[in-house]
Amino acid sequence: MCQVEEEDGQYCQDMEGEQHRVGLAQKCMKCKEGSAALIIRAGDAFCRDCFKEYFVHKFRAMLGKNRLIFPGEKVLLALSGGPASSAMVQQVQEGLSRAAPKKLRFAPGIVHVDEGAVCGRSQEERAQTAAQMESILKASGFPYHIIPLEAAFKLPGSVLQCHTPGHRNNYKECVDRFIQHQQNLHNTTNEVILTQVEERLTRLRTEDPERQDVDCPLPDSTGNQLLSSVHTQKLIDLFSSVTTLTAKEELLQTLRTHLILHTARTHGYSKVMMGDSCTRLAIKSMTNISLGRGAFLATDTGFSDERHGDVVVVRPMRDYSLKEISYYNHMFGVQSIFIPSLDTKASAKASVHRLTEDFMTNLQADFPSTVSTVYRTSEKLGVTPRGPAASADVVDRCLLCMCSLDTHFAEASAFHATLVSEQFSKKTKPELSTAGKTCCMKTGDCAGHCGNPSKDCTSVQSGDGKSTFLRLLCYGCRLTVKEMRSLDMLPPYILLQAEQQTRRAEMKKEIQEFLLCEDETSDPLTT
């Protein structure tokens, strides 16, 4: 330990000396000619032009290396207004411009979720922020959708279902077909195009005679029409029923994801771009491990997230640090909006998210490789189905996050040990003597989560609706729901889907003895 401390102290002294030696007089590490305008890491000095080229190349390389976005595909950009998502939109704008050497070939749209109701903001403040956001969205030239969080109370139950993805063609075939389509468009005569545009402008001027400077209007967008005060009050009551800030942030992220997913499906988007940076993903990795979501790190922090089936979530900003994004936005005038969130002005110990963020940022200040180490470690993880559902065609999924359930394990698992510990910590001494061997811990899902609770189990009654609801969730989502005082305040689409899944499970249990197993349905001649 003493040797480690001495090495760390020597490293800090070397870094301080290096910072004194590096200055603006240093030359760019790439072109070797221009003066350094910024220093990303120790020794990595860039001039203004080389830094822009480096930033743009990293974004293009991330998309080109994975080849998940096909030419002509509709992609929805999730814009929160923060630095990372704003830089992502800027990169897409530059990639679609005529001056780009290698143009992006997909059709983008933008979605913004207004979360002001749960952050205690007034209607006037929300309207002012929405006006600023709408001006940025209009300037982008892309179709956009501004959705209030209250719209979660009007979502259909199908948003919680994993849809089968359509047929995915070969990437090269899609590129060739897109190029051929572009050539056919160029072969169209200019006279026909000018005639169509002139007819459209004439029709608009006829409808509105006072407006003579009509430009081609943007595609239809979902304006910032706030829903009724009834839904707003329901949303406030829902988050008021959650006892901890950690659970509130997890619930907010779940509802936000459902809204973005529904918007993508409704308007025909097959991909969704998130603006998660390397710094944010490193913090998210540590937070998810603390919240019992370690089994889903590859899904929650990887480049692609295919848990929804027909809509794939991609994270093209995952190789950028927050420092690089901040430099780029400042140097090239990328506009962003500060919008207060749930943890704004909260103390470092207010939630697991804030505590992890404070720990990572403080450690990063002293040891600059902290974020990259955590990020690269989580990047090596993969998704491997486990448990009895791994070999089945249909995998049981969590009702809220839609990841595969991580609760179907034997008694020797860490999950079972955690549940047993919770079980005995909640019991009183008389209850410990009466539970005996008749408790349903053998299923590996006790403390209200067992699949077939016995009559002698003193922890949960058979008619407990919350225990039935918890059986549909993964371990991480169970911790969130346990912090809620009542389930009745959840949006109707969640309760409806939970009821349908519960009835389906009960029906399957009733006819289980009449179902044929896979071994019985196989051809006896081939066995």
Side-chain angles (χ1 to χ4, degrees):
M1 291 298 293
C2 296
Q3 182 180 0
V4 173
E5 292 179 358
E6 291 176 359
E7 292 177 354
D8 289 345
Q10 182 64 32
Y11 172 78
C12 294
Q13 293 178 3
D14 294 342
M15 288 301 299
E16 292 178 358
E18 182 69 21
Q19 291 177 359
H20 286 297
R21 290 191 296 269
V22 174
L24 295 179
Q26 184 179 359
K27 296 298 182 180
C28 174
M29 61 171 292
K30 187 174 182 180
C31 66
K32 309 297 183 181
E33 296 179 357
S35 299
L38 74 159
I39 300 172
I40 300 177
R41 292 173 293 272
D44 293 347
F46 288 91
C47 64
R48 179 185 177 91
D49 295 335
C50 290
F51 175 66
K52 183 176 182 180
E53 183 179 351
Y54 156 82
F55 198 92
V56 173
H57 173 73
K58 184 182 284 191
F59 183 83
R60 303 286 186 84
M62 177 62 69
L63 296 180
K65 178 177 64 175
N66 293 276
R67 288 192 172 186
L68 285 180
I69 301 179
F70 288 13
E73 199 170 18
K74 297 184 67 176
V75 180
L76 187 63
L77 313 179
L79 177 63
S80 65
S85 59
S86 300
M88 179 183 67
V89 174
Q90 175 70 13
Q91 290 302 302
V92 175
Q93 284 181 295
E94 291 190 2
L96 292 173
S97 63
R98 294 182 178 181
K102 294 183 179 179
K103 295 182 60 176
L104 300 177
R105 296 170 174 172
F106 56 83
I110 305 178
V111 61
H112 171 72
V113 180
D114 178 16
E115 306 167 359
V118 298
C119 301
R121 308 191 70 197
S122 62
Q123 293 289 353
E124 292 76 12
E125 293 174 337
R126 295 178 63 186
Q128 183 179 2
T129 303
Q132 297 177 2
M133 180 62 66
E134 191 166 8
S135 64
I136 296 178
L137 296 178
K138 285 183 178 180
S140 68
F142 302 148
Y144 62 89
H145 315 274
I146 301 179
I147 306 172
L149 193 63
E150 294 93 321
F153 285 88
K154 301 184 69 175
L155 288 177
S158 59
V159 73
L160 297 178
Q161 298 175 0
C162 181
H163 296 185
T164 304
H167 176 67
R168 296 181 181 178
N169 299 322
N170 182 271
Y171 184 83
K172 187 177 184 304
E173 294 177 358
C174 291
V175 172
D176 295 339
R177 188 162 51 250
F178 179 80
I179 294 176
Q180 182 64 33
H181 177 67
Q182 292 294 102
Q183 291 177 351
N184 294 336
L185 290 179
H186 285 299
N187 291 334
T188 305
T189 58
N190 294 332
E191 290 78 6
V192 176
I193 298 177
L194 292 176
T195 302
Q196 293 177 352
V197 173
E198 199 61 39
E199 290 178 356
R200 189 175 185 183
L201 295 178
T202 303
R203 185 172 62 255
L204 291 174
R205 292 191 184 100
T206 304
E207 295 174 357
D208 189 2
E210 297 181 357
R211 185 178 182 182
Q212 299 298 328
D213 54 341
V214 180
D215 295 327
C216 292
L218 291 173
D220 294 338
S221 61
T222 306
N224 191 42
Q225 300 295 332
L226 301 181
L227 299 184
S228 63
S229 58
V230 177
H231 290 140
T232 303
Q233 188 60 41
K234 286 183 178 180
L235 185 66
I236 295 175
D237 294 341
L238 170 62
F239 279 82
S240 298
S241 67
V242 183
T243 56
T244 63
L245 181 59
T246 301
K248 289 181 180 179
E249 293 186 11
E250 289 294 308
L251 180 60
L252 175 60
Q253 180 179 349
T254 300
L255 296 180
R256 184 196 305 125
T257 303
H258 292 170
L259 283 172
I260 295 176
L261 176 62
H262 179 66
T263 304
R265 286 174 174 171
T266 303
H267 296 87
Y269 294 95
S270 56
K271 299 291 189 303
V272 174
M273 275 191 183
M274 296 290 187
D276 296 324
S277 63
C278 169
T279 308
R280 181 55 55 191
L281 290 178
I283 296 173
K284 189 175 183 180
S285 299
M286 300 299 294
T287 303
N288 284 7
I289 293 175
S290 304
L291 296 178
R293 295 188 58 85
F296 313 128
L297 277 185
T299 303
D300 292 337
T301 63
F303 174 78
S304 63
D305 180 2
E306 302 181 2
R307 76 181 78 177
H308 307 295
D310 58 334
V311 177
V312 179
V313 177
V314 295
R315 303 179 179 92
M317 304 295 292
R318 65 192 306 265
D319 271 356
Y320 295 98
S321 66
L322 189 58
K323 182 179 180 180
E324 293 174 338
I325 295 174
S326 300
Y327 274 139
Y328 181 83
N329 292 352
H330 175 71
M331 294 180 66
F332 300 100
V334 178
Q335 187 177 3
S336 60
I337 301 177
F338 171 74
I339 303 177
S341 58
L342 279 174
D343 59 351
T344 301
K345 296 183 179 181
S347 62
K349 298 181 180 180
S351 67
V352 175
H353 303 79
R354 287 286 295 113
L355 184 61
T356 306
E357 182 178 0
D358 184 71
F359 169 75
M360 291 289 293
T361 52
N362 291 338
L363 197 61
Q364 174 72 12
D366 296 331
F367 305 97
S369 61
T370 299
V371 169
S372 60
T373 301
V374 175
Y375 164 71
R376 297 301 177 188
T377 303
S378 63
E379 191 179 26
K380 295 179 175 63
L381 301 177
V383 181
T384 303
R386 299 175 58 188
S391 59
D393 294 336
V394 180
V395 179
D396 293 334
R397 296 183 178 273
C398 174
L399 179 65
L400 295 181
C401 69
M402 299 181 67
C403 290
S404 57
L405 286 179
D406 57 349
T407 56
H408 299 302
F409 294 105
E411 296 183 5
S413 64
F415 172 72
H416 176 74
T418 303
L419 294 179
V420 171
S421 177
E422 293 178 359
Q423 164 77 13
F424 282 95
S425 63
K426 293 180 181 179
K427 283 187 175 182
T428 59
K429 292 183 179 180
E431 289 175 337
L432 290 173
S433 61
T434 57
K437 299 181 180 180
T438 58
C439 183
C440 52
M441 286 184 216
K442 294 182 179 181
T443 61
D445 204 11
C446 196
H449 320 305
C450 51
N452 185 20
S454 62
K455 295 181 180 179
D456 297 329
C457 180
T458 57
S459 61
V460 177
Q461 298 179 359
S462 59
D464 189 1
K466 193 168 187 177
S467 63
T468 304
F469 185 83
L470 290 176
R471 289 199 294 269
L472 304 175
L473 308 178
C474 64
Y475 179 72
C477 292
R478 289 184 183 188
L479 299 181
T480 301
V481 173
K482 284 181 181 179
E483 301 296 335
M484 298 180 61
R485 297 189 183 95
S486 175
L487 298 179
D488 297 334
M489 297 182 180
L490 285 172
Y493 74 98
I494 297 179
L495 300 177
L496 178 62
Q497 192 66 18
E499 183 180 359
Q500 291 179 356
Q501 292 188 15
T502 302
R503 290 180 179 178
R504 191 178 298 113
E506 293 176 353
M507 183 181 300
K508 183 178 180 179
K509 183 179 178 181
E510 292 176 357
I511 63 175
Q512 187 67 38
E513 58 182 2
F514 303 103
L515 298 177
L516 297 178
C517 300
E518 293 184 1
D519 297 338
E520 299 178 1
T521 57
S522 60
D523 190 353
L525 298 179
T526 60
T527 57

